[in-house]
Amino acid sequence: MKLLRYGPAGSEKPGLRHDDGTIRDLSAHVADIGGEVLTGAGQDMLRALDADSLPVVDGDPRLGPCVAGVGKIIAIGLNYADHAAEAGMEVPPEPVIFFKATSAICGPNDDVIIPRGSEKTDWEVELGVVIGKPASYVDEADAMDHVAGYCVVNDVSERAFQIERAGQWVKGKSADTFAPMGPWLVTRDEVPEPQNLKMWLDVDGHRYQDGSTATMVYGVRHLVSYLSQFMSLQPGDVISTGTPPGVGMGQSPQVYLRPGQEMRLGIEGLGEQRQLTRAWDG
């Protein structure tokens, strides 16, 4: 299934993307796409519905972030060896963990706002892993049982805030609109091999990132197990698993986003995003 949320920001309704390409409304069956809906029982209930009989959503509505009520965004740094190399950093002996504020979440095609004072706003296409079953101290062999599905995440980053100023990475990762998520949550049964998905990102039509989840240092199974040793994972939590090379910081000379540009990005089987950049206006 491809589960989504559509409508004005803050008033999104639950839906799914039908095989015929239409959006079908799920409002009569679930309140939103999050929490218990992401569990095995919740997904089974949705699969039992006759998708052909669900109401068709007319027009071309805005798509919201594909998961509601995200408890935490756990992001993984330097998780692609070639990206670590372009950043001039060593591949870490264990996953590097940081958080993005949930207030950074926005729809997959919403504008990305360049923060006040920013000179180094950057892009990062990433595989998002959505948790569907509580996980604590999970073995790798059982880790995938706790995954509801996958989505595209753009881990937008302000590099000066992240690296050049004292403190942790979170303040360079958490500005409003710095976590476009979607267009939809693709359930785990439709992605049998998450470690072999092509991924890409363009800025103004120029291909900067052209990689694959096959080059992850720490794969999905390991990350779910690893993170569950330090914190419980709950339905609706999102793990943003790192980015391949091609970020602006890695260019020579470095390239960063300016107002009025267009980002397009996607992951094989998970859909595409499109964002326009604009300056913070208060």
Side-chain angles (χ1 to χ4, degrees):
M1 293 182 295
K2 295 179 174 65
L3 304 175
L4 56 85
R5 303 170 67 245
Y6 69 93
S11 301
E12 291 93 347
K13 295 181 178 181
L16 63 79
R17 186 175 187 271
H18 197 346
D19 292 340
D20 64 7
T22 61
I23 294 175
R24 301 299 178 107
D25 180 52
L26 288 172
S27 298
H29 304 279
V30 295
D32 213 334
I33 305 300
E36 291 298 314
V37 173
L38 302 175
T39 66
Q43 292 191 38
D44 287 345
M45 182 272 290
L46 293 179
R47 287 192 187 94
L49 300 175
D50 178 9
D52 292 329
S53 68
L54 294 171
V56 176
V57 177
D58 294 328
D60 186 23
R62 169 190 174 268
L63 296 179
C66 58
V67 182
V70 175
K72 50 186 176 287
I73 307 172
I74 312 162
I76 309 300
L78 305 174
N79 197 30
Y80 288 70
D82 35 11
H83 171 56
E86 75 171 351
M89 300 180 184
E90 297 290 331
V91 173
E94 296 187 31
V96 172
I97 302 171
F98 63 93
F99 287 92
K100 289 177 76 83
T102 55
S103 54
I105 296 172
C106 66
N109 304 317
D110 291 347
D111 289 352
V112 165
I113 301 170
I114 297 177
R116 184 172 68 179
S118 168
E119 296 181 353
K120 297 184 177 181
T121 295
D122 205 346
W123 55 82
E124 295 190 11
V125 59
E126 305 204 359
L127 173 68
V129 178
V130 181
I131 299 299
K133 177 182 176 182
S136 294
Y137 304 108
V138 173
D139 293 333
E140 282 197 36
D142 302 319
M144 302 305 283
D145 294 339
H146 298 264
V147 173
Y150 305 94
C151 65
V152 181
V153 176
N154 190 353
D155 176 20
V156 186
S157 309
E158 212 300 337
R159 301 301 188 187
F161 299 174
Q162 175 191 355
I163 298 170
E164 299 173 17
R165 299 177 63 173
Q168 299 183 341
W169 287 3
V170 62
K171 66 187 178 186
K173 297 283 190 171
S174 295
D176 290 356
T177 74
F178 268 27
M181 195 174 292
W184 31 75
L185 163 63
V186 181
T187 52
R188 180 166 53 94
D189 58 299
E190 293 196 12
V191 188
E193 184 43 80
Q195 301 306 152
N196 191 28
L197 303 176
K198 295 178 181 179
M199 54 202 310
W200 56 273
L201 184 145
D202 296 347
V203 179
D204 289 342
H206 178 81
R207 178 65 47 92
Y208 281 98
Q209 293 190 275
D210 190 4
S212 170
T213 60
T215 63
M216 275 187 189
V217 178
Y218 301 106
V220 172
R221 185 181 299 275
H222 180 82
L223 290 174
V224 172
S225 173
Y226 181 85
L227 292 171
S228 76
Q229 311 304 310
F230 304 100
M231 67 195 80
S232 67
L233 305 177
Q234 303 296 330
D237 287 349
V238 177
I239 306 169
S240 198
T241 57
T243 198
V247 299
M249 180 177 64
Q251 306 302 307
S252 182
Q254 294 179 341
V255 178
Y256 293 110
L257 293 166
R258 307 180 308 275
Q261 294 189 289
E262 178 189 67
M263 288 183 283
R264 288 183 177 269
L265 58 147
I267 298 178
E268 180 182 1
L270 304 184
E272 300 182 6
Q273 299 184 354
R274 173 185 177 270
Q275 296 112 27
L276 299 178
T277 59
R278 60 182 174 89
W280 182 85
D281 59 8

